[in-house]
């Protein structure tokens, strides 16, 4: 989902049914006492042919979960395992969400409508299967800002307030409830592969690999890669390329996901599932988003390492299908690919043309030094120095010779950049919680989309189609 969404016809395609017998199980949605439409993604509903739905029809499908025409007759809760803070947990799966529908967009890509807060499933454990309205609002803010900054992310598609009071230990309760739908390029996680390996279901594991190669196509491995014709090896190369770009996109965005467990890593390289996320208030590699991340495992500066570790777990899961050597060769590409993606994305956000590995690496180093010395975050830095402007000291030296990209001067002439720090998140939520005032949220979405238009499409990553 990297370009501006384009209108398309509704094209249902329930490809997931090819593997549903071992990947998922049918479930029923919860019955809610109320349905009030709070957010409908008017940019992306047209991209999958649903832009002409009335609000009542929208609520019927995305609040009451009546099936879309010729789509899944019942929702499917996905089964998976996962390393959660590097402790293996076989007792997880879709506990408050499910796959509701699949369709093609105008480019032919297979997209999922997945839910959050839609009720309990066999994998809910002690949870109530619900989502707070604040959690849904936070996901809107996260996905809109990430999309603007060129991160390959799921889209918040719909939020419907559901009229229940929820009790949570980590926020004031009771609090309002919501059912959310996200539009994603798939929901196959590293944990989906881990589960099949743990259960020694090798035939199903091979079938899942084939499904992913068909549903989410990508380039073949390099010519000299060992085992480059083996499906499991091909998939691992593609996922390595995608995740290297994802890691770089987080760093250039100044974003901290907070919970980079293997069940939260999508094999498409698409970021999703936003809980305790944060944007950096200033450049600080040790900054964490989750209060429960006591060791800083998923701190800002450790995110590439965390994603690389998760990639290793995928390689282990594919071991029943391929020898170690070609799998190791695939994941060893992560470091160089991450470095290339960092330089590509950094220059793009700064608004300058790349000059080559040595110059680009020196520029990134000088930028990090400037942010540390000035105690500012990436949002202020990239805005202040767009196109190489306003630089001094080592940064000016590093920028010498860089040519600016074409820019939308109307946005870059703003005094301050659009940002998404925690204080603004809380302010937007307070307006809703105290006064049912949704205008600050709507205004923020408009500002973030203006930022996205000014930046334009991010540079291409080879692992994405």
């Amino acid at each position: 989902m990297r370009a501006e969404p384009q209108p398309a016809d509704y094209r249902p395609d329930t490809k997931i049914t090819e593997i549903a017998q071992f990947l998922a199980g049918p479930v029923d949605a919860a019955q809610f006492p109320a349905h009030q439409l709070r957010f409908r993604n008017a940019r992306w509903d047209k991209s999958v042919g649903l832009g002409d739905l009335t609000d009542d029809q929208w609520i019927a499908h995305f609040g009451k979960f009546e099936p879309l025409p010729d789509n899944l007759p019942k929702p499917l809760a996905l089964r998976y395992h996962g390393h959660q803070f590097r402790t293996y947990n076989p007792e997880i799966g879709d506990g408050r969400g499910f796959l509701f529908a699949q369709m093609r967009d105008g480019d032919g890509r297979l997209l999922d409508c997945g839910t959050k807060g839609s009720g309990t499933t066999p994998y809910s454990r002690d949870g109530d299967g619900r989502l707070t309205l604040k959690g849904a609002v936070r996901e809107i803010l996260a996905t809109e800002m990430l999309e603007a900054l060129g991160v390959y992310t799921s889209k918040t598609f719909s939020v419907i307030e559901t009229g229940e009071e929820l009790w949570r230990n980590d926020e004031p309760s009771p609090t309002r409830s919501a059912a959310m739908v996200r539009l994603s390029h798939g929901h196959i996680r590293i944990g989906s592969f881990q589960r099949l390996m743990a259960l020694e279901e090798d035939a199903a594991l091979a079938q899942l690999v084939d499904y992913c190669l068909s549903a989410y196509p990508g380039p073949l491995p390099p010519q000299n890669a060992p085992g480059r014709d083996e499906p499991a090896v091909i998939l691992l190369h593609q996922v390595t390329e995608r995740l290297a770009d994802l890691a770089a996109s987080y760093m250039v965005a100044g974003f901290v996901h907070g919970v980079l467990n293997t069940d939260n890593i999508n094999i498409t390289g698409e970021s999703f599932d936003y809980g305790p996320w944060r944007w950096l208030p200033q450049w600080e590699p040790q900054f964490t988003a989750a209060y429960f991340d006591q060791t800083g495992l998923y701190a800002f500066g450790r995110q590439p390492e965390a994603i690389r570790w998760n990639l290793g777990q995928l390689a282990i899961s594919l071991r029943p299908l391929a020898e170690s050597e070609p799998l190791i060769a695939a994941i060893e590409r992560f470091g160089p690919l991450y470095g290339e993606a960092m330089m590509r994305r950094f220059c793009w956000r700064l608004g300058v043309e790349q000059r080559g590995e040595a110059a680009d690496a020196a520029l990134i180093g000088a930028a990090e030094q400037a942010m540390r010395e000035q105690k500012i975050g990436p949002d202020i830095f990239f805005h202040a120095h767009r196109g190489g402007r306003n630089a001094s000291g080592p940064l000016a030296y590093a920028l010498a010779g860089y040519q600016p990209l074409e820019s939308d001067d109307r946005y870059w002439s703003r005094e301050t950049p659009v940002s998404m720090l925690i204080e603004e998140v809380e302010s937007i939520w307070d307006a809703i919680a105290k006064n049912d005032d949704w205008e600050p949220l709507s205004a923020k979405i408009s500002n973030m989309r203006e930022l996205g238009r000014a930046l334009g499409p991010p540079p291409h990553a080879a692992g994405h189609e």
Side-chain angles (χ1 to χ4, degrees):
M1 299 184 188
R2 295 184 167 272
E4 188 72 15
Q6 300 297 317
D9 294 331
Y10 173 64
R11 296 169 56 197
D13 185 353
T14 56
K15 189 173 177 62
I16 196 74
T17 56
E18 297 175 8
I19 55 173
Q21 71 275 12
F22 61 79
L23 192 76
V27 293
D28 294 313
Q31 301 296 308
F32 297 111
H35 300 87
Q36 188 167 8
L37 181 57
R38 293 301 193 179
F39 176 76
R40 171 175 174 169
N41 198 321
R43 293 177 75 242
W44 284 96
D45 60 1
K46 301 175 184 64
S47 73
V48 289
L50 298 176
D52 292 335
L53 292 180
T54 66
D55 284 352
D56 286 343
Q57 291 170 327
W58 189 271
I59 288 170
H61 292 305
F62 301 119
K64 301 176 182 178
F65 297 105
E66 297 174 7
L68 286 165
D70 301 316
N71 224 298
L72 293 174
K74 289 194 71 171
L76 296 172
L78 303 186
R79 309 180 184 114
Y80 41 88
H81 292 179
H83 277 91
Q84 299 183 312
F85 286 83
R86 300 199 179 170
T87 298
Y88 194 75
N89 186 354
E91 302 297 329
I92 53 179
D94 282 345
R96 56 174 174 169
F98 47 61
L99 177 59
F100 174 66
Q102 288 186 299
M103 63 279 290
R104 300 276 174 177
D105 69 2
D107 295 325
R109 295 178 310 155
L110 182 67
L111 301 180
D112 289 358
C113 282
T115 69
K116 195 172 184 179
S118 51
T120 58
T121 77
Y123 319 111
S124 299
R125 292 177 287 172
D126 297 327
D128 61 10
R130 267 54 174 182
L131 172 68
T132 66
L133 182 61
K134 182 178 183 180
V137 169
R138 282 175 49 83
E139 186 132 349
I140 295 171
L141 293 170
T143 54
E144 290 284 341
M145 189 65 174
L146 287 169
E147 183 180 7
L149 292 174
V151 175
Y152 191 50
T153 178
S154 62
K155 308 299 182 287
T156 307
F157 197 56
S158 171
V159 171
I160 293 173
E161 189 169 357
T162 52
E164 296 180 322
E165 291 187 342
L166 303 179
W167 294 82
R168 296 291 186 264
N169 295 327
D170 56 352
E171 59 183 274
S173 296
T175 189
R176 293 151 72 176
S177 61
M180 188 190 78
V181 178
R182 64 167 65 100
L183 188 67
S184 295
H185 193 192
H187 280 85
I188 307 298
R189 302 155 165 85
I190 289 176
S192 308
F193 292 85
Q194 290 182 289
R195 173 180 171 272
L196 295 175
M197 186 202 68
L199 298 177
E200 298 183 348
E201 295 185 8
D202 293 356
L205 186 64
Q207 193 174 347
L208 181 58
V209 168
D210 290 342
Y211 173 89
C212 292
L213 291 174
S214 173
Y216 315 113
L220 289 173
Q223 286 289 341
N224 61 348
R228 72 183 303 270
D229 297 324
E230 300 175 37
V233 175
I234 295 171
L235 179 64
L236 189 59
H237 275 277
Q238 292 176 357
V239 177
T240 297
E241 295 182 20
R242 295 164 182 166
L243 293 185
D245 186 67
L246 176 66
S249 72
Y250 281 170
M251 302 304 288
V252 173
F255 178 73
V256 191
H257 183 282
V259 193
L260 292 174
N261 298 326
T262 56
D263 56 299
N264 286 337
I265 302 294
N266 193 331
I267 59 93
T268 63
E270 182 183 51
S271 177
F272 77 113
D273 204 9
Y274 301 105
W277 55 266
R278 293 286 191 279
W279 259 269
L280 290 183
Q282 54 185 275
W283 189 264
E284 183 183 347
Q286 293 77 31
F287 183 87
T288 57
Y291 69 87
F292 47 82
D293 188 0
Q294 301 294 331
T295 65
L297 180 64
Y298 297 143
F300 172 68
R302 296 186 67 184
Q303 290 181 123
E305 170 203 340
I307 292 173
R308 167 61 178 78
W309 190 90
N310 289 339
L311 185 65
Q313 304 315 302
L314 177 60
I316 292 170
S317 299
L318 294 172
R319 185 61 182 82
L321 306 179
E323 295 297 325
S324 296
E325 179 188 359
L327 297 175
I328 292 171
I331 60 176
E332 284 182 342
R333 297 179 63 212
F334 180 88
L337 288 167
Y338 168 74
E340 292 170 10
M342 274 295 295
M343 291 181 281
R344 181 174 65 238
R345 283 182 167 273
F346 192 95
C347 290
W348 165 76
R349 188 175 181 191
L350 190 59
V352 296
E353 295 181 0
Q354 287 188 254
R355 289 187 57 211
E357 182 176 348
D360 294 349
L363 175 58
I364 293 174
E368 291 178 354
Q369 178 183 343
M371 285 187 277
R372 285 193 300 267
E373 291 176 350
Q374 299 173 40
K375 296 184 178 181
I376 60 173
D379 295 328
I380 293 175
F381 172 83
F382 283 110
H383 189 83
H385 301 298
R386 176 72 182 182
R389 64 188 181 182
N390 303 324
S392 61
L395 180 62
Y397 179 79
L399 276 166
Y402 275 88
Q403 297 299 312
L405 299 172
E406 291 185 12
S407 275
D408 179 351
D409 292 332
R410 292 170 300 175
Y411 175 82
W412 303 113
S413 62
R414 291 173 55 125
E415 184 174 342
T416 58
V418 173
S419 60
M420 183 48 62
L421 300 180
I422 188 61
E423 295 81 8
E424 188 166 7
V425 176
E426 294 299 330
S427 176
I428 290 169
W429 171 246
D430 280 348
I432 295 169
K434 295 175 181 177
N435 303 311
D436 209 33
D437 181 3
W438 292 77
E439 180 54 33
L441 174 64
S442 296
K444 189 64 180 182
I445 292 170
S446 295
N447 284 335
M448 290 186 287
R449 292 179 178 179
E450 181 186 359
L451 168 62
R453 287 189 292 270
L455 282 169
H460 177 70
H464 298 287
E465 51 178 298

